[in-house]
Amino acid sequence: MKFYLILIFLIAFLQTAILPVNIILLILIARSFTIELSENYYLALFAGLILGILSAVNLGFWVLVFLVVTKILHILRKLPFTQNILTILPISFLVIYGSLFLESLFFKQSLNFTIVIISTILSLPIFVLIKFWEERFVVRPG
């Protein structure tokens, strides 16, 4: 958990300064698909607060989006069709498109479809990296 907190803190700085892609959302999607723990909700809360503070938008917007996304992905993870690794692509496409739609709706920004496609393509390598990290380097009791 400490690793993800530090990672999200550093990526939040990069995302608000340089990157147009929401990498924090991709990390939350991948972690919620990889492992189902209540720590994901705390991670989503922390990520939303940090991103809200650094991006100078409404402080509760990203918290709400990240918590709802985490809850939806925990529900979807229990379905049998999500056992295939490639199901992360259509689900992440829908989640990313929904979050960008909400962002464009509330903040009066234009919806850039190329960012949705780039984020969807990036979701698979991030998922593989987080799955590898959780399986190899995180020790679970039992």
Side-chain angles (χ1 to χ4, degrees):
M1 181 72 173
K2 293 177 192 175
F3 169 74
Y4 289 108
L5 290 175
I6 294 169
L7 181 70
I8 283 183
F9 189 72
L10 293 174
I11 289 178
F13 278 110
L14 285 174
Q15 182 176 324
T16 54
I18 301 169
L19 300 174
V21 177
N22 197 344
I23 304 281
I24 294 176
L25 182 63
L26 296 177
I27 290 173
L28 287 174
I29 290 170
R31 175 143 164 105
S32 296
F33 257 104
T34 303
I35 190 163
E36 185 178 354
L37 290 175
S38 61
E39 293 174 355
N40 289 341
Y41 297 115
Y42 296 120
L43 196 63
L45 178 75
F46 176 75
L49 284 175
I50 290 296
L51 193 60
I53 290 169
L54 291 176
S55 64
V57 297
N58 188 355
L59 191 59
F61 175 75
W62 286 116
V63 175
L64 248 121
V65 168
F66 290 160
L67 284 173
V68 168
V69 163
T70 305
K71 183 61 178 174
I72 288 172
L73 290 175
H74 279 197
I75 292 170
L76 285 177
R77 188 174 184 274
K78 296 176 183 174
L79 297 175
F81 70 87
T82 59
Q83 300 302 321
N84 189 357
I85 193 170
L86 294 178
T87 56
I88 188 118
L89 292 174
I91 292 174
S92 64
F93 174 79
L94 292 174
V95 168
I96 292 165
Y97 184 74
S99 69
L100 282 177
F101 176 74
L102 287 175
E103 188 178 3
S104 69
L105 186 69
F106 286 115
F107 301 130
K108 308 289 189 262
Q109 297 175 353
S110 63
L111 183 63
N112 194 349
F113 199 70
T114 58
I115 292 178
V116 176
I117 298 297
I118 291 170
S119 299
T120 304
I121 292 170
L122 282 176
S123 67
L124 189 61
I126 289 175
F127 174 72
V128 170
L129 286 173
I130 288 181
K131 189 165 183 75
F132 178 76
W133 178 266
E134 288 290 329
E135 288 177 353
R136 301 289 182 227
F137 300 116
V138 176
V139 178
R140 303 260 180 240

